[in-house]
Each structure stands twice: as structure tokens, then as C-alpha cells.
Amino acid sequence: MDPDDPAFAGQREYTPFFLRIYDPVILGFLAPAVWRCPASRLVDGYQRHVGSRHLDVGPGTGYFLDRAGLPDAHSVTLLDPNPNVLDYASRRLERLDITTVEADVCRALPLPGTYDSAAMNGVLHCLPGPLSRKAEAVAHVAAVLAPSGVLFGSSILGRSAPHTRLGRSILRTNNRRGTFDNLDDTEEGLYEILDASFEAVSLESVGTMAVFSGSIPRVG
Ligand SMILES: C[S@@+](CC[C@H](N)C(=O)[O-])C[C@H]1O[C@@H](n2cnc3c(N)ncnc32)[C@H](O)[C@@H]1O
């Protein structure tokens, strides 16, 4: 990805080293202790929503797909602009039928066909703001879902959420570095951008994360 692209910073940190420590540090510590949303809560979303043809946007290490209870050879497309992520996750998930696509969800997706489910788990807080720009990313995913398809996922909320002192400090640091761009992301704002692309939206706050799903993609 071009370093001048506004979406560059949100995917830059996923080096092979960071991916090796990601599960214990980010999912094992930060999620439950700082964002107060245990990874098990997010595994539930995968177990509930993954369909026959699944698109995973920003799969990270592949931790959640690995725990989604999928049978061998289940069809999964991994989409990420960062090749380190695609290498790491596809090796971990080799028992599945994996297709990798190096692409940026902020642009129209180079994907043929329609998917039964798509995940954006922990991705929206990494995308460049404002929320109106994140709405376009959600619309790009909605556009490749089947009429009965579902989008699900989670995102860390911004400064209006009840963050702890440590949470607030990590939020500020990550926004300064560009790893996150979510200071102004609110529960209501995320609901609105999902509602713009889906007829039925569910969103709840768990700790300082929004956990969501949207179904019945709006056409056009
Ligand atoms: C915080 S990690 C979440 C990883 C995984 N989904 C999880 O929940 O553990 C963010 C992921 O989004 C990806 N990402 C960042 N910017 C992106 C973009 N513009 N388009 C698609 N994926 C992006 C990163 O490369 C990374 O894989």
C-alpha cells in the first residue's frame, strides 16, 4: 500500500514479529483487561454468523476463524492490504479452503460473486476517519454480500466511551501513531454507518467495544 494513502497507518504495524505476539498481548490481555471485552465474546459472533462462503476483512492472525468451529475445507476469503497478515493467517488456517486477496476495504472490493457472511472484527477502529469514510468501507462489504448475507464484527469505541485511565492512554497513543483513527467513533455513529448499508442492525457495547451485526444489505 502507498505510504501516502490515508489507510496506510492502520495496517502498517502488522509485521511478522507483531503477529507472533498478537494473540497473547492483544487478545489475551488488552481485550479483556483494557477494552473489557473478552475474546470469547467475539468468538461467539463467529460461531453464530459465519456462513457457507465467508469473507474475513482484516483477519489479523486468524485467531477467530480458528475458533469458529468450521469444518475442514470450509470456503473462506481473507482480505487485507498487508501481505504479512495474509501469509500468517492462511498458514494457520490451512485446513480451510482459503483464498487470499491483498486489498484495502476503503476501496471498492475486487471480489467476484456474493458471500453469505463477512466479518470486520477489530477493523473499523483502524480505518481512517471520519465515520462517513468508514461508512464507505461498510458499503463496500455490503455490496459483495448475498441478499441474505450478514456482516458482523466489533470495534473499539472512541473518547466518549467509559475507558479506564490505561485505556484512555492507549487510545491516545494509538491515535497519535495512526494505528487507530477512532477518537470520534461513538456507538450511535457506528450504528448509523451500519444502518446506511443494512436494513437490520444490532449493536451493543461490551466494555468499550461495540459488537455488531447487520443483515439484509441495502441494494444500490
Ligand atoms: C486490530 S487487527 C484485527 C485482526 C482480527 N480481525 C482480530 O479481530 O483479531 C486489524 C486488522 O485489519 C487490517 N486492516 C487495517 N486496515 C485495513 C484496510 N484498510 N483494509 C482491510 N484491512 C485492514 C489489519 O491489517 C489487521 O489485519
Side-chain angles (χ1 to χ4, degrees), residues 1 7 10-11 14 22 26-27 42 46 56-64 79-82 85 103-106 120-123 125-128 154 180:
M1 183 183 267
Q11 54 81 54
Y14 296 87
Y22 184 92
I26 306 296
L27 301 177
L42 306 175
Y46 272 79
D56 217 80
V57 176
T61 61
Y63 174 97
F64 291 99
L79 182 141
D80 204 291
N82 186 323
V85 167
D104 171 7
V105 72
C106 300
M120 293 180 87
N121 198 53
V123 174
H125 61 258
C126 301
L127 300 184
S154 64
F180 292 5

Side-chain angles (χ1 to χ4, degrees), residues 26-45 63-64 121 154 206-209 211:
I26 306 296
L27 301 177
F29 172 67
L30 280 187
V34 176
W35 313 127
R36 306 199 305 284
C37 178
S40 56
R41 175 66 180 76
L42 306 175
V43 171
D44 289 347
Y63 174 97
F64 291 99
N121 198 53
S154 64
V206 180
T208 57
M209 291 190 77
V211 180

